[in-house]
Amino acid sequence: PPGVIRILSMLIIVMCIAIFACVASTLAWDRGYGNGIFGGYPYGGSSFGGFGTGYGYGYGYGYGYGGYTDPRAAKGFLLAMAAFCFIASLVIFVTSVVRSGMSRTRRFYLIVIIVSVILGILVFIATIVYIMGVNPTAQASGSMYGSQIYTLCSQFYTGATGLYVDQYLYHYCVVDPQEAIAIVLGFMILVAFALIIFFAVKTRRKMDRYDKSNIL
């Protein structure tokens, strides 16, 4: 089990780096909305009426009201959790590889269990928030603005984009492949933490039964 925990912690490190790469590659589209090209952000409380000039949708409501998730905040939350998971997994991996006296104690695996539970729950929440943030129709379903968002994004969902496709609006409405990969990696990190908890509990039980000096 200690060897499996080292392998899982290393996998989490790799997946966190992949999440950084996937999420960071989409941040430019969020910054693009702030250049004033279309009159402001489509979310975060700014008026959606800015799109009315170019697209004929004079909705004029603030994205961010009514419980809507700001995509930029969702991406920042996921990046922050990936950073915490990266640091925690790196500490677990290095401590286990060095095989110091601390890594052979029941207290060490108890700390691993507690940290894995906390980070696992937070990563799950961050992934769900990220899904809602990058998929506007997911959080618009059943709301008073749902039909408006569906109308705005229907041109991209149906493929009838016309001669001109606004790339910023396209990336707002459509889940990019790298965003989908980040979502999958978020759930994989959750599974990895669950396995770490399982093997950490198993290690502690073996220490109780066979004495900690015989585990490794």
mmCIF file with all atom_site columns, all heavy atoms in Angstrom, residues 158-176:
data_model
loop_
_atom_site.group_PDB
_atom_site.id
_atom_site.type_symbol
_atom_site.label_atom_id
_atom_site.label_alt_id
_atom_site.label_comp_id
_atom_site.label_asym_id
_atom_site.label_entity_id
_atom_site.label_seq_id
_atom_site.pdbx_PDB_ins_code
_atom_site.Cartn_x
_atom_site.Cartn_y
_atom_site.Cartn_z
_atom_site.occupancy
_atom_site.B_iso_or_equiv
_atom_site.pdbx_formal_charge
_atom_site.auth_seq_id
_atom_site.auth_comp_id
_atom_site.auth_asym_id
_atom_site.auth_atom_id
_atom_site.pdbx_PDB_model_num
ATOM 1   N N   . THR A 1 158 ? -26.459 24.273 -33.202 1.00 0.00 ? 158 THR A N   1
ATOM 2   C CA  . THR A 1 158 ? -27.060 23.685 -34.403 1.00 0.00 ? 158 THR A CA  1
ATOM 3   C C   . THR A 1 158 ? -26.106 23.658 -35.579 1.00 0.00 ? 158 THR A C   1
ATOM 4   O O   . THR A 1 158 ? -26.370 23.000 -36.575 1.00 0.00 ? 158 THR A O   1
ATOM 5   C CB  . THR A 1 158 ? -28.317 24.469 -34.802 1.00 0.00 ? 158 THR A CB  1
ATOM 6   O OG1 . THR A 1 158 ? -27.954 25.829 -35.078 1.00 0.00 ? 158 THR A OG1 1
ATOM 7   C CG2 . THR A 1 158 ? -29.357 24.436 -33.687 1.00 0.00 ? 158 THR A CG2 1
ATOM 8   N N   . GLY A 1 159 ? -25.010 24.382 -35.483 1.00 0.00 ? 159 GLY A N   1
ATOM 9   C CA  . GLY A 1 159 ? -24.047 24.420 -36.580 1.00 0.00 ? 159 GLY A CA  1
ATOM 10  C C   . GLY A 1 159 ? -24.349 25.491 -37.597 1.00 0.00 ? 159 GLY A C   1
ATOM 11  O O   . GLY A 1 159 ? -23.575 25.703 -38.533 1.00 0.00 ? 159 GLY A O   1
ATOM 12  N N   . ALA A 1 160 ? -25.465 26.195 -37.435 1.00 0.00 ? 160 ALA A N   1
ATOM 13  C CA  . ALA A 1 160 ? -25.829 27.252 -38.376 1.00 0.00 ? 160 ALA A CA  1
ATOM 14  C C   . ALA A 1 160 ? -25.174 28.554 -37.934 1.00 0.00 ? 160 ALA A C   1
ATOM 15  O O   . ALA A 1 160 ? -25.813 29.455 -37.398 1.00 0.00 ? 160 ALA A O   1
ATOM 16  C CB  . ALA A 1 160 ? -27.343 27.410 -38.438 1.00 0.00 ? 160 ALA A CB  1
ATOM 17  N N   . THR A 1 161 ? -23.880 28.655 -38.141 1.00 0.00 ? 161 THR A N   1
ATOM 18  C CA  . THR A 1 161 ? -23.114 29.799 -37.660 1.00 0.00 ? 161 THR A CA  1
ATOM 19  C C   . THR A 1 161 ? -23.047 30.935 -38.662 1.00 0.00 ? 161 THR A C   1
ATOM 20  O O   . THR A 1 161 ? -22.622 32.028 -38.324 1.00 0.00 ? 161 THR A O   1
ATOM 21  C CB  . THR A 1 161 ? -21.683 29.356 -37.312 1.00 0.00 ? 161 THR A CB  1
ATOM 22  O OG1 . THR A 1 161 ? -21.096 28.756 -38.475 1.00 0.00 ? 161 THR A OG1 1
ATOM 23  C CG2 . THR A 1 161 ? -21.713 28.359 -36.167 1.00 0.00 ? 161 THR A CG2 1
ATOM 24  N N   . GLY A 1 162 ? -23.446 30.689 -39.895 1.00 0.00 ? 162 GLY A N   1
ATOM 25  C CA  . GLY A 1 162 ? -23.404 31.749 -40.896 1.00 0.00 ? 162 GLY A CA  1
ATOM 26  C C   . GLY A 1 162 ? -21.996 31.980 -41.412 1.00 0.00 ? 162 GLY A C   1
ATOM 27  O O   . GLY A 1 162 ? -21.088 31.170 -41.233 1.00 0.00 ? 162 GLY A O   1
ATOM 28  N N   . LEU A 1 163 ? -21.827 33.129 -42.064 1.00 0.00 ? 163 LEU A N   1
ATOM 29  C CA  . LEU A 1 163 ? -20.538 33.432 -42.671 1.00 0.00 ? 163 LEU A CA  1
ATOM 30  C C   . LEU A 1 163 ? -19.522 33.921 -41.647 1.00 0.00 ? 163 LEU A C   1
ATOM 31  O O   . LEU A 1 163 ? -18.328 33.748 -41.826 1.00 0.00 ? 163 LEU A O   1
ATOM 32  C CB  . LEU A 1 163 ? -20.719 34.513 -43.756 1.00 0.00 ? 163 LEU A CB  1
ATOM 33  C CG  . LEU A 1 163 ? -21.599 34.109 -44.941 1.00 0.00 ? 163 LEU A CG  1
ATOM 34  C CD1 . LEU A 1 163 ? -21.747 35.295 -45.908 1.00 0.00 ? 163 LEU A CD1 1
ATOM 35  C CD2 . LEU A 1 163 ? -21.017 32.915 -45.676 1.00 0.00 ? 163 LEU A CD2 1
ATOM 36  N N   . TYR A 1 164 ? -20.012 34.535 -40.566 1.00 0.00 ? 164 TYR A N   1
ATOM 37  C CA  . TYR A 1 164 ? -19.107 35.103 -39.569 1.00 0.00 ? 164 TYR A CA  1
ATOM 38  C C   . TYR A 1 164 ? -19.351 34.435 -38.222 1.00 0.00 ? 164 TYR A C   1
ATOM 39  O O   . TYR A 1 164 ? -20.478 34.347 -37.756 1.00 0.00 ? 164 TYR A O   1
ATOM 40  C CB  . TYR A 1 164 ? -19.326 36.608 -39.444 1.00 0.00 ? 164 TYR A CB  1
ATOM 41  C CG  . TYR A 1 164 ? -18.516 37.240 -38.339 1.00 0.00 ? 164 TYR A CG  1
ATOM 42  C CD1 . TYR A 1 164 ? -17.139 37.435 -38.478 1.00 0.00 ? 164 TYR A CD1 1
ATOM 43  C CD2 . TYR A 1 164 ? -19.123 37.616 -37.158 1.00 0.00 ? 164 TYR A CD2 1
ATOM 44  C CE1 . TYR A 1 164 ? -16.404 38.004 -37.473 1.00 0.00 ? 164 TYR A CE1 1
ATOM 45  C CE2 . TYR A 1 164 ? -18.392 38.188 -36.139 1.00 0.00 ? 164 TYR A CE2 1
ATOM 46  C CZ  . TYR A 1 164 ? -17.029 38.378 -36.303 1.00 0.00 ? 164 TYR A CZ  1
ATOM 47  O OH  . TYR A 1 164 ? -16.299 38.950 -35.295 1.00 0.00 ? 164 TYR A OH  1
ATOM 48  N N   . VAL A 1 165 ? -18.282 33.979 -37.626 1.00 0.00 ? 165 VAL A N   1
ATOM 49  C CA  . VAL A 1 165 ? -18.372 33.344 -36.315 1.00 0.00 ? 165 VAL A CA  1
ATOM 50  C C   . VAL A 1 165 ? -17.544 34.157 -35.335 1.00 0.00 ? 165 VAL A C   1
ATOM 51  O O   . VAL A 1 165 ? -16.337 34.307 -35.507 1.00 0.00 ? 165 VAL A O   1
ATOM 52  C CB  . VAL A 1 165 ? -17.859 31.894 -36.351 1.00 0.00 ? 165 VAL A CB  1
ATOM 53  C CG1 . VAL A 1 165 ? -17.901 31.294 -34.955 1.00 0.00 ? 165 VAL A CG1 1
ATOM 54  C CG2 . VAL A 1 165 ? -18.685 31.065 -37.311 1.00 0.00 ? 165 VAL A CG2 1
ATOM 55  N N   . ASP A 1 166 ? -18.194 34.678 -34.317 1.00 0.00 ? 166 ASP A N   1
ATOM 56  C CA  . ASP A 1 166 ? -17.463 35.388 -33.280 1.00 0.00 ? 166 ASP A CA  1
ATOM 57  C C   . ASP A 1 166 ? -16.795 34.368 -32.366 1.00 0.00 ? 166 ASP A C   1
ATOM 58  O O   . ASP A 1 166 ? -17.472 33.585 -31.712 1.00 0.00 ? 166 ASP A O   1
ATOM 59  C CB  . ASP A 1 166 ? -18.415 36.279 -32.479 1.00 0.00 ? 166 ASP A CB  1
ATOM 60  C CG  . ASP A 1 166 ? -17.701 36.916 -31.295 1.00 0.00 ? 166 ASP A CG  1
ATOM 61  O OD1 . ASP A 1 166 ? -16.760 37.690 -31.516 1.00 0.00 ? 166 ASP A OD1 1
ATOM 62  O OD2 . ASP A 1 166 ? -18.072 36.598 -30.155 1.00 0.00 ? 166 ASP A OD2 1
ATOM 63  N N   . GLN A 1 167 ? -15.469 34.389 -32.337 1.00 0.00 ? 167 GLN A N   1
ATOM 64  C CA  . GLN A 1 167 ? -14.731 33.371 -31.601 1.00 0.00 ? 167 GLN A CA  1
ATOM 65  C C   . GLN A 1 167 ? -14.945 33.477 -30.092 1.00 0.00 ? 167 GLN A C   1
ATOM 66  O O   . GLN A 1 167 ? -15.012 32.473 -29.399 1.00 0.00 ? 167 GLN A O   1
ATOM 67  C CB  . GLN A 1 167 ? -13.239 33.480 -31.924 1.00 0.00 ? 167 GLN A CB  1
ATOM 68  C CG  . GLN A 1 167 ? -12.899 33.089 -33.348 1.00 0.00 ? 167 GLN A CG  1
ATOM 69  C CD  . GLN A 1 167 ? -13.234 31.632 -33.613 1.00 0.00 ? 167 GLN A CD  1
ATOM 70  O OE1 . GLN A 1 167 ? -12.930 30.749 -32.818 1.00 0.00 ? 167 GLN A OE1 1
ATOM 71  N NE2 . GLN A 1 167 ? -13.883 31.370 -34.731 1.00 0.00 ? 167 GLN A NE2 1
ATOM 72  N N   . TYR A 1 168 ? -15.066 34.694 -29.576 1.00 0.00 ? 168 TYR A N   1
ATOM 73  C CA  . TYR A 1 168 ? -15.271 34.854 -28.141 1.00 0.00 ? 168 TYR A CA  1
ATOM 74  C C   . TYR A 1 168 ? -16.619 34.281 -27.714 1.00 0.00 ? 168 TYR A C   1
ATOM 75  O O   . TYR A 1 168 ? -16.734 33.571 -26.722 1.00 0.00 ? 168 TYR A O   1
ATOM 76  C CB  . TYR A 1 168 ? -15.172 36.327 -27.747 1.00 0.00 ? 168 TYR A CB  1
ATOM 77  C CG  . TYR A 1 168 ? -13.791 36.899 -27.901 1.00 0.00 ? 168 TYR A CG  1
ATOM 78  C CD1 . TYR A 1 168 ? -13.540 37.967 -28.745 1.00 0.00 ? 168 TYR A CD1 1
ATOM 79  C CD2 . TYR A 1 168 ? -12.721 36.357 -27.201 1.00 0.00 ? 168 TYR A CD2 1
ATOM 80  C CE1 . TYR A 1 168 ? -12.264 38.491 -28.894 1.00 0.00 ? 168 TYR A CE1 1
ATOM 81  C CE2 . TYR A 1 168 ? -11.444 36.862 -27.338 1.00 0.00 ? 168 TYR A CE2 1
ATOM 82  C CZ  . TYR A 1 168 ? -11.217 37.937 -28.181 1.00 0.00 ? 168 TYR A CZ  1
ATOM 83  O OH  . TYR A 1 168 ? -9.954  38.439 -28.314 1.00 0.00 ? 168 TYR A OH  1
ATOM 84  N N   . LEU A 1 169 ? -17.655 34.602 -28.469 1.00 0.00 ? 169 LEU A N   1
ATOM 85  C CA  . LEU A 1 169 ? -18.979 34.083 -28.150 1.00 0.00 ? 169 LEU A CA  1
ATOM 86  C C   . LEU A 1 169 ? -19.034 32.575 -28.350 1.00 0.00 ? 169 LEU A C   1
ATOM 87  O O   . LEU A 1 169 ? -19.689 31.860 -27.600 1.00 0.00 ? 169 LEU A O   1
ATOM 88  C CB  . LEU A 1 169 ? -20.037 34.770 -29.015 1.00 0.00 ? 169 LEU A CB  1
ATOM 89  C CG  . LEU A 1 169 ? -21.500 34.436 -28.708 1.00 0.00 ? 169 LEU A CG  1
ATOM 90  C CD1 . LEU A 1 169 ? -21.826 34.806 -27.265 1.00 0.00 ? 169 LEU A CD1 1
ATOM 91  C CD2 . LEU A 1 169 ? -22.421 35.158 -29.671 1.00 0.00 ? 169 LEU A CD2 1
ATOM 92  N N   . TYR A 1 170 ? -18.314 32.096 -29.362 1.00 0.00 ? 170 TYR A N   1
ATOM 93  C CA  . TYR A 1 170 ? -18.269 30.659 -29.616 1.00 0.00 ? 170 TYR A CA  1
ATOM 94  C C   . TYR A 1 170 ? -17.660 29.914 -28.426 1.00 0.00 ? 170 TYR A C   1
ATOM 95  O O   . TYR A 1 170 ? -18.199 28.906 -27.966 1.00 0.00 ? 170 TYR A O   1
ATOM 96  C CB  . TYR A 1 170 ? -17.456 30.378 -30.878 1.00 0.00 ? 170 TYR A CB  1
ATOM 97  C CG  . TYR A 1 170 ? -17.203 28.909 -31.131 1.00 0.00 ? 170 TYR A CG  1
ATOM 98  C CD1 . TYR A 1 170 ? -18.172 28.097 -31.704 1.00 0.00 ? 170 TYR A CD1 1
ATOM 99  C CD2 . TYR A 1 170 ? -15.981 28.325 -30.779 1.00 0.00 ? 170 TYR A CD2 1
ATOM 100 C CE1 . TYR A 1 170 ? -17.950 26.757 -31.935 1.00 0.00 ? 170 TYR A CE1 1
ATOM 101 C CE2 . TYR A 1 170 ? -15.746 26.990 -31.002 1.00 0.00 ? 170 TYR A CE2 1
ATOM 102 C CZ  . TYR A 1 170 ? -16.733 26.209 -31.580 1.00 0.00 ? 170 TYR A CZ  1
ATOM 103 O OH  . TYR A 1 170 ? -16.501 24.861 -31.790 1.00 0.00 ? 170 TYR A OH  1
ATOM 104 N N   . HIS A 1 171 ? -16.558 30.409 -27.916 1.00 0.00 ? 171 HIS A N   1
ATOM 105 C CA  . HIS A 1 171 ? -15.910 29.756 -26.774 1.00 0.00 ? 171 HIS A CA  1
ATOM 106 C C   . HIS A 1 171 ? -16.712 29.929 -25.489 1.00 0.00 ? 171 HIS A C   1
ATOM 107 O O   . HIS A 1 171 ? -16.561 29.139 -24.558 1.00 0.00 ? 171 HIS A O   1
ATOM 108 C CB  . HIS A 1 171 ? -14.490 30.293 -26.587 1.00 0.00 ? 171 HIS A CB  1
ATOM 109 C CG  . HIS A 1 171 ? -13.517 29.783 -27.588 1.00 0.00 ? 171 HIS A CG  1
ATOM 110 N ND1 . HIS A 1 171 ? -12.863 28.580 -27.459 1.00 0.00 ? 171 HIS A ND1 1
ATOM 111 C CD2 . HIS A 1 171 ? -13.104 30.286 -28.785 1.00 0.00 ? 171 HIS A CD2 1
ATOM 112 C CE1 . HIS A 1 171 ? -12.085 28.380 -28.506 1.00 0.00 ? 171 HIS A CE1 1
ATOM 113 N NE2 . HIS A 1 171 ? -12.211 29.401 -29.321 1.00 0.00 ? 171 HIS A NE2 1
ATOM 114 N N   . TYR A 1 172 ? -17.557 30.951 -25.446 1.00 0.00 ? 172 TYR A N   1
ATOM 115 C CA  . TYR A 1 172 ? -18.439 31.117 -24.291 1.00 0.00 ? 172 TYR A CA  1
ATOM 116 C C   . TYR A 1 172 ? -19.555 30.069 -24.298 1.00 0.00 ? 172 TYR A C   1
ATOM 117 O O   . TYR A 1 172 ? -19.914 29.526 -23.254 1.00 0.00 ? 172 TYR A O   1
ATOM 118 C CB  . TYR A 1 172 ? -19.026 32.523 -24.311 1.00 0.00 ? 172 TYR A CB  1
ATOM 119 C CG  . TYR A 1 172 ? -20.179 32.726 -23.358 1.00 0.00 ? 172 TYR A CG  1
ATOM 120 C CD1 . TYR A 1 172 ? -19.973 32.754 -21.984 1.00 0.00 ? 172 TYR A CD1 1
ATOM 121 C CD2 . TYR A 1 172 ? -21.474 32.880 -23.831 1.00 0.00 ? 172 TYR A CD2 1
ATOM 122 C CE1 . TYR A 1 172 ? -21.025 32.940 -21.108 1.00 0.00 ? 172 TYR A CE1 1
ATOM 123 C CE2 . TYR A 1 172 ? -22.534 33.067 -22.966 1.00 0.00 ? 172 TYR A CE2 1
ATOM 124 C CZ  . TYR A 1 172 ? -22.298 33.093 -21.615 1.00 0.00 ? 172 TYR A CZ  1
ATOM 125 O OH  . TYR A 1 172 ? -23.339 33.262 -20.763 1.00 0.00 ? 172 TYR A OH  1
ATOM 126 N N   . CYS A 1 173 ? -20.091 29.782 -25.467 1.00 0.00 ? 173 CYS A N   1
ATOM 127 C CA  . CYS A 1 173 ? -21.241 28.881 -25.575 1.00 0.00 ? 173 CYS A CA  1
ATOM 128 C C   . CYS A 1 173 ? -20.851 27.410 -25.653 1.00 0.00 ? 173 CYS A C   1
ATOM 129 O O   . CYS A 1 173 ? -21.596 26.541 -25.208 1.00 0.00 ? 173 CYS A O   1
ATOM 130 C CB  . CYS A 1 173 ? -22.081 29.242 -26.811 1.00 0.00 ? 173 CYS A CB  1
ATOM 131 S SG  . CYS A 1 173 ? -22.948 30.828 -26.687 1.00 0.00 ? 173 CYS A SG  1
ATOM 132 N N   . VAL A 1 174 ? -19.711 27.111 -26.252 1.00 0.00 ? 174 VAL A N   1
ATOM 133 C CA  . VAL A 1 174 ? -19.324 25.730 -26.536 1.00 0.00 ? 174 VAL A CA  1
ATOM 134 C C   . VAL A 1 174 ? -18.214 25.291 -25.582 1.00 0.00 ? 174 VAL A C   1
ATOM 135 O O   . VAL A 1 174 ? -17.271 26.051 -25.318 1.00 0.00 ? 174 VAL A O   1
ATOM 136 C CB  . VAL A 1 174 ? -18.848 25.586 -27.999 1.00 0.00 ? 174 VAL A CB  1
ATOM 137 C CG1 . VAL A 1 174 ? -18.412 24.162 -28.287 1.00 0.00 ? 174 VAL A CG1 1
ATOM 138 C CG2 . VAL A 1 174 ? -19.957 26.008 -28.954 1.00 0.00 ? 174 VAL A CG2 1
ATOM 139 N N   . VAL A 1 175 ? -18.335 24.080 -25.055 1.00 0.00 ? 175 VAL A N   1
ATOM 140 C CA  . VAL A 1 175 ? -17.300 23.511 -24.191 1.00 0.00 ? 175 VAL A CA  1
ATOM 141 C C   . VAL A 1 175 ? -16.149 23.035 -25.065 1.00 0.00 ? 175 VAL A C   1
ATOM 142 O O   . VAL A 1 175 ? -16.307 22.128 -25.888 1.00 0.00 ? 175 VAL A O   1
ATOM 143 C CB  . VAL A 1 175 ? -17.851 22.341 -23.353 1.00 0.00 ? 175 VAL A CB  1
ATOM 144 C CG1 . VAL A 1 175 ? -16.745 21.727 -22.504 1.00 0.00 ? 175 VAL A CG1 1
ATOM 145 C CG2 . VAL A 1 175 ? -18.994 22.820 -22.464 1.00 0.00 ? 175 VAL A CG2 1
ATOM 146 N N   . ASP A 1 176 ? -14.998 23.634 -24.903 1.00 0.00 ? 176 ASP A N   1
ATOM 147 C CA  . ASP A 1 176 ? -13.824 23.275 -25.697 1.00 0.00 ? 176 ASP A CA  1
ATOM 148 C C   . ASP A 1 176 ? -13.287 21.912 -25.278 1.00 0.00 ? 176 ASP A C   1
ATOM 149 O O   . ASP A 1 176 ? -13.508 21.462 -24.147 1.00 0.00 ? 176 ASP A O   1
ATOM 150 C CB  . ASP A 1 176 ? -12.731 24.326 -25.531 1.00 0.00 ? 176 ASP A CB  1
ATOM 151 C CG  . ASP A 1 176 ? -13.146 25.677 -26.085 1.00 0.00 ? 176 ASP A CG  1
ATOM 152 O OD1 . ASP A 1 176 ? -13.892 25.690 -27.075 1.00 0.00 ? 176 ASP A OD1 1
ATOM 153 O OD2 . ASP A 1 176 ? -12.723 26.711 -25.519 1.00 0.00 ? 176 ASP A OD2 1
#
